[in-house]
Amino acid sequence: MKFAIPEEVLAVANVLEENGYEAYIVGGCVRDLVLGLMPKDWDITTPAHPEAIQALFPETFYENAYGTVGVVTGSGDPRTTVIEVTPYREEGEYLNARHPSEVRFGVSLEKDLERRDFTMNTLAYRPKTDTLVDTHGGQADIAARLIRSVGDPNARFREDALRMMRAVRFMAQLSFVIEQGTAEAIFQNADTLSHISRERIRDELIKIIETDEPMTAVHTLQKLGLLKHIAPDLERGIGVAQNQAHSFDVYEHLLRTMQHAADRDWSTAVRVAGLFHDISKPETRRWSDEKRDWTFHGHEVVGARVTRRILEDLRFPKDMADKVVALVRWHMFFSDPDQVTMSAVRRMIANVGREHISDLLNLRICDRIGTGRPKEQPFRLRRYMAMVEQALRDPVTLGMLAMDGAGVMQITGERPGPRIGHMLHALLEEVLEDPTKNTREKLEARVLELRRHTDAELASLGRSGKERLEREEAEAVRSIEKRWGVQDKGH
Ligand code: ATP
Ligand code: MG
């Protein structure tokens, strides 16, 4: 046998063959086998109709509306727990650049291979006879590392516009080149990407960002005219010069920051935050005669809002969006270990959230490298990190105070109500300044003083933490928007 194929996959193919249906392993997994990579999912194609396939296996389910049957193998390896078995498919005319008007099953393997996107994805391998079917020159293109449409590229992208993003994704995933005619067709049909759902675009974008080469890939999206249908705000940074600490324009800096996160194999959130962290530099840029340089005051505040809008538009899951927005909002934290105070470090942790702190530090490292002129001072950042570690042992949220609401009520004899929350927030504010105050004893003494305040006084004392931050932030945004005549018009 030519390839190393897991037993579970061979077993499914065998059952089909024993029942008179030829079984071909097909598509991306054969491409990966030829490349010597381990496929992460397996597809089999066969002349049997979906009901006939289901009848042959104890546990199956329908994967999608196109006749794909998921065969459950019981394997512990996530790559082979479900093997997808799809009848030979032939597709009718495509509608709206996204789906076929009709699908016919069981016609022939050749017809099935014709409907596939790129030649490298048309290979089919039949284990029973050890034969590799290659009707579109897939092996030659894989050897030449070329991504080439099957048939007329214009027609194929008009059928399904998402294929244009798949081409760029494969380029970055496999280090392939998009063949000239295929690339030209993408350029010509780029605007049809607007017919594709934001969810499908998001899935491809995330896959692109998770490759080892996201910078090349995103730049290719831009050159081919696709980026403006994905995240048009990124293009505003093209040609926008930065201050003297930077070698690149805003756009290139964003790409390089993301790329460094990929080079370090850091999380998707850090990569996405790298891509968007300076997204609002163009609209906050102002020349300073005094500094004889550009300034970008408040760009992280406006940028967090713009990033939120972009990620919501792309239907990013809420927890991922929350994390990225927090990273963008707080990426400007002051980190000079010779000047920063512990209470400033604690406040920074309270702002971004403990769970995001290591990603924020990683983002800072990427941001520096992304300038192209990093001040090489890793030991200073390490000293700052040591301060962060120290501060992480101190309280930064209400939950870490040595006293909770019940405690406050018990000591003060007050009933549940807004005063209790105000007192807790006032305590937190003081403990952030000085963590040694976070003992039961000291808080009890302090809360007995606090209870003497009127409701209004207490409310203003307690208007710390979250509430105050939110207000200050909203004001900052308003004043920046007023100054620059920009308004976030929503979407
Ligand atoms: P990966 O699994 O890494 O995403 P893949 O090539 O296996 O890459 P899948 O989405 O798993 O991609 O699809 C399996 C096969 O189905 C592809 O190799 C291709 O032959 C075909 N295919 C998938 N999506 C499309 C599409 N939009 N248009 C045409 N053919 C497609
Ligand atoms: Mg696959």
Side-chain angles (χ1 to χ4, degrees):
M1 177 154 337
K2 286 189 182 65
F3 304 117
I5 296 168
E7 263 172 53
E8 293 86 350
V9 180
L10 292 175
V12 172
N14 257 334
V15 170
L16 290 162
E17 294 277 3
E18 278 164 10
N19 286 275
Y21 303 111
E22 54 194 29
Y24 285 90
I25 296 167
V26 71
C29 50
V30 184
R31 174 202 70 217
D32 288 346
L33 289 173
V34 170
L35 283 165
L37 306 170
M38 183 42 106
K40 58 177 173 29
D41 48 43
W42 294 85
D43 300 299
I44 292 179
T45 188
T46 185
H49 282 229
E51 313 79 57
I53 297 169
Q54 288 204 296
L56 296 179
F57 299 95
E59 199 185 337
T60 61
F61 58 92
Y62 279 120
E63 279 270 328
N64 55 34
Y66 302 112
T68 302
V69 175
V71 175
V72 181
T73 65
S75 151
D77 183 338
R79 293 173 297 202
T80 51
T81 32
V82 174
I83 311 293
E84 296 192 350
V85 181
T86 308
Y88 294 163
R89 240 166 71 189
E90 189 187 357
E91 295 174 350
E93 287 283 294
Y94 269 69
L95 305 172
N96 309 329
R98 24 174 214 259
H99 28 227
S101 54
E102 57 165 336
V103 173
R104 285 181 292 280
F105 295 135
V107 186
S108 73
L109 177 65
E110 282 65 32
K111 285 280 177 210
D112 181 275
L113 299 179
E114 267 172 35
R115 69 164 176 91
R116 294 176 182 268
D117 48 5
F118 304 111
T119 59
M120 63 181 186
N121 289 341
T122 62
L123 298 177
Y125 175 71
R126 188 179 180 193
K128 182 178 171 177
T129 54
D130 194 21
T131 39
L132 184 65
V133 176
D134 180 6
T135 42
H136 297 275
Q139 291 176 98
D141 282 339
I142 290 173
R145 307 190 83 79
L146 278 181
I147 299 165
R148 184 198 307 272
S149 286
V150 176
D152 171 16
N154 274 293
R156 305 314 308 282
F157 293 132
R158 257 179 261 134
E159 285 172 358
D160 178 1
L162 192 72
R163 290 172 184 157
M164 299 186 287
M165 277 187 85
R166 282 173 59 89
V168 176
R169 191 246 298 178
F170 287 128
M171 183 196 89
Q173 248 173 11
L174 303 170
S175 295
F176 275 33
V177 171
I178 303 175
E179 175 272 328
Q180 183 73 20
T182 303
E184 280 167 13
I186 294 177
F187 188 71
Q188 275 158 32
N189 292 281
D191 289 345
T192 58
L193 190 63
S194 61
H195 297 294
I196 298 296
S197 77
R198 303 310 280 167
E199 287 83 356
R200 290 180 79 201
I201 289 178
R202 170 204 61 207
D203 287 347
E204 281 303 323
L205 179 65
I206 289 179
K207 284 183 187 173
I208 284 170
I209 289 173
E210 287 176 344
T211 67
D212 292 341
E213 301 288 343
M215 171 157 107
T216 312
V218 173
H219 192 48
T220 303
L221 291 173
Q222 198 280 323
K223 284 188 298 189
L224 292 176
L226 296 168
L227 190 61
K228 61 175 173 292
H229 299 291
I230 302 169
D233 292 279
L234 285 169
E235 296 201 333
R236 296 186 297 123
I238 295 174
V240 175
Q242 306 229 42
N243 62 30
Q244 282 155 15
H246 286 260
S247 299
F248 309 113
D249 65 11
V250 170
Y251 166 77
E252 187 168 349
H253 169 63
L254 291 173
L255 265 49
R256 284 175 180 270
T257 304
M258 167 182 67
Q259 181 60 46
H260 190 69
D263 292 344
R264 303 290 289 263
D265 210 14
W266 280 336
S267 70
T268 308
V270 174
R271 298 176 191 211
V272 177
L275 182 60
F276 293 119
H277 73 287
D278 282 346
I279 193 77
S280 290
K281 274 191 166 176
E283 69 267 35
T284 54
R285 190 171 77 142
R286 185 169 58 152
W287 180 259
S288 161
D289 280 333
E290 186 189 328
K291 292 187 173 160
R292 313 184 114 257
D293 207 348
W294 294 107
T295 63
F296 303 92
H297 294 301
H299 74 272
E300 73 278 25
V301 179
V302 182
R305 287 161 49 114
V306 171
T307 301
R308 168 78 65 192
R309 167 168 58 68
I310 295 170
L311 298 183
E312 278 177 0
D313 167 59
L314 284 168
R315 314 287 194 273
F316 268 64
K318 188 177 179 306
D319 50 343
M320 167 82 98
D322 286 348
K323 178 166 199 151
V324 171
V325 168
L327 295 175
V328 171
R329 172 63 185 86
W330 302 108
H331 80 269
M332 291 298 287
F333 67 93
F334 180 69
S335 64
D336 182 341
D338 294 325
Q339 295 186 51
V340 75
T341 62
M342 278 305 285
S343 88
V345 174
R346 283 191 291 272
R347 206 166 297 277
M348 189 277 281
I349 295 170
N351 286 337
V352 72
R354 297 170 77 84
E355 68 278 27
H356 302 146
I357 188 71
S358 73
D359 277 346
L360 186 69
L361 294 167
N362 288 347
L363 177 61
R364 168 59 58 89
I365 293 169
C366 299
D367 192 0
R368 283 198 176 181
I369 299 289
T371 62
R373 293 179 194 168
K375 292 184 220 135
E376 255 330 328
Q377 296 179 312
F379 68 97
R380 290 169 69 79
L381 194 62
R382 273 207 300 279
R383 271 174 60 205
Y384 181 81
M385 285 174 171
M387 294 178 78
V388 168
E389 205 167 294
Q390 170 69 41
L392 282 173
R393 297 199 223 116
D394 303 333
V396 288
T397 65
L398 282 186
M400 298 168 72
L401 277 176
M403 182 181 292
D404 61 7
V408 172
M409 289 187 277
Q410 197 198 338
I411 306 296
T412 59
E414 295 209 10
R415 300 165 56 77
R419 283 175 62 86
I420 307 300
H422 293 325
M423 283 191 246
L424 283 170
H425 274 108
L427 293 179
L428 178 64
E429 187 65 14
E430 292 169 16
V431 163
L432 284 177
E433 285 300 329
D434 179 4
T436 65
K437 290 185 179 165
N438 193 29
T439 66
R440 180 86 192 179
E441 213 181 13
K442 290 185 178 162
L443 295 184
E444 275 183 14
R446 181 64 185 133
V447 93
L448 287 171
E449 291 167 22
L450 285 174
R451 69 177 287 218
R452 292 203 289 270
H453 289 287
T454 65
D455 286 2
E457 286 166 346
L458 215 47
S460 86
L461 274 172
R463 210 178 291 129
S464 58
K466 223 172 160 230
E467 260 182 308
R468 197 185 69 189
L469 280 172
E470 278 168 6
R471 216 187 34 191
E472 280 175 358
E473 185 158 322
E475 273 164 18
V477 170
R478 266 196 301 279
S479 81
I480 289 163
E481 285 178 346
K482 225 162 75 191
R483 199 144 31 87
W484 300 107
V486 288
Q487 240 115 47
D488 182 5
K489 294 185 189 71
H491 203 63

